Amino acid sequence: EVQLVESGGGLVKPGGSLRLSCAASGFTFSSYDMNWVRQAPGKGLEWVSSISSTGSYIYYADSVTGRFTISRDNAKNSLYLQMNSLRAEDTAVYYCARDGSSGWPSFDFWGQGTLVTVSS
Amino acid sequence: DIQMTQSPSSVSASVGDKVTITCRASQGISSWLAWYQQKPGKAPKLLIYAASILQSGVPSRFSGSGSGTEFTLTISGLQPEDFATYYCQQGNSFLITFGQGTRLEIK
């Protein structure tokens, strides 16, 4: 069974940093591109970042470029999101999501999410 | 960035009804479109990818169509568990974008 479990969320002050983790199991993690998607309270979905299976290709939304860094450790079946210079507008539930096994750009499995709150 | 616009933003319907949700892209995206269902407090669930291919395990009352800039998600014979929020997502660009969502409510 595919499982994605996020951790690392919490309350942080504006300008602070946080590192999210996503532990993957039930599939060959090293074969899949992975993503972070966030959802502000009461709002829609916003794609944050993607990383290819080997880590060679990385993409970011304009809203987080220069502040967030996505990475992965295939030996540990883990995905990470380092978030620096956090702003109030970064407050959201952060989901890790697996790229679809079909090969088409979609997200077929999602974690339960971890809440990040940026507030003084 | 490619903008995705869904309509309507919300819709009310009854069990057994047929509902259609539209998603328009600001530029052509071929068939690089997916649809998701999200219930309150839960992660999104993939329904359809490549504009019209049903994800494994998704009921056949869900269907998708379209290409280029206009796409539709149709739910035929609404069931109580279908009342949720639906999102489209384009994958034509490496900068992925979602529509703003359509809330499907019980009439």
Side-chain angles (χ1 to χ4, degrees):
Chain A
E1 178 193 6
V2 171
Q3 282 201 316
L4 298 169
V5 180
E6 301 94 338
S7 61
L11 175 63
V12 60
K13 289 182 168 55
S17 299
L18 213 53
R19 188 194 196 207
L20 305 184
S21 299
C22 173
S25 61
F27 66 102
T28 305
F29 181 72
S30 59
S31 297
Y32 287 84
D33 297 354
M34 296 294 295
N35 308 269
W36 288 100
V37 177
R38 68 183 180 183
Q39 187 169 36
K43 303 297 184 183
L45 301 171
E46 180 188 14
W47 169 78
V48 173
S49 183
S50 296
I51 185 168
S52 63
S53 58
T54 61
S56 298
Y57 299 96
I58 286 174
Y59 306 96
Y60 297 102
D62 292 344
S63 57
V64 306
T65 295
R67 300 188 299 123
F68 289 12
T69 301
I70 191 171
S71 63
R72 65 190 295 161
D73 186 335
N74 286 342
K76 294 183 177 179
N77 292 337
S78 293
L79 175 72
Y80 306 101
L81 186 67
Q82 177 67 43
M83 304 186 295
N84 298 331
S85 303
L86 282 162
R87 307 166 179 167
E89 54 265 35
D90 296 318
T91 294
V93 173
Y94 285 73
Y95 296 101
C96 71
R98 190 185 83 166
D99 253 36
S101 55
S102 65
W104 287 79
S106 56
F107 310 137
D108 64 352
F109 284 95
W110 299 63
Q112 84 288 351
T114 187
L115 176 62
V116 172
T117 303
V118 184
S119 174
S120 54
Chain B
D1 294 6
I2 299 174
Q3 307 303 315
M4 305 301 291
T5 303
Q6 290 181 231
S7 60
S9 294
S10 65
V11 58
S12 296
S14 301
V15 173
D17 284 353
K18 178 179 177 179
V19 168
T20 298
I21 298 169
T22 298
C23 179
R24 289 185 174 86
S26 60
Q27 64 188 73
I29 60 169
S30 185
S31 296
W32 301 102
L33 187 98
W35 289 98
Y36 299 85
Q37 175 194 70
Q38 187 180 33
K39 297 182 179 179
K42 300 294 187 182
K45 172 187 175 183
L46 177 64
L47 298 175
I48 286 169
Y49 61 92
S52 62
I53 300 176
L54 210 61
Q55 173 70 355
S56 175
V58 173
S60 58
R61 62 181 179 272
F62 291 90
S63 63
S65 65
S67 67
T69 61
E70 187 153 336
F71 303 85
T72 59
L73 171 70
T74 300
I75 313 171
S76 300
L78 276 170
Q79 297 299 303
E81 60 268 27
D82 299 336
F83 292 94
T85 300
Y86 292 85
Y87 295 92
C88 61
Q89 169 246 314
Q90 67 81 18
N92 181 73
S93 160
F94 290 121
L95 301 183
I96 292 165
T97 47
F98 289 89
Q100 82 280 13
T102 294
R103 185 174 178 183
L104 174 55
E105 300 174 317
I106 300 175
K107 185 181 290 183

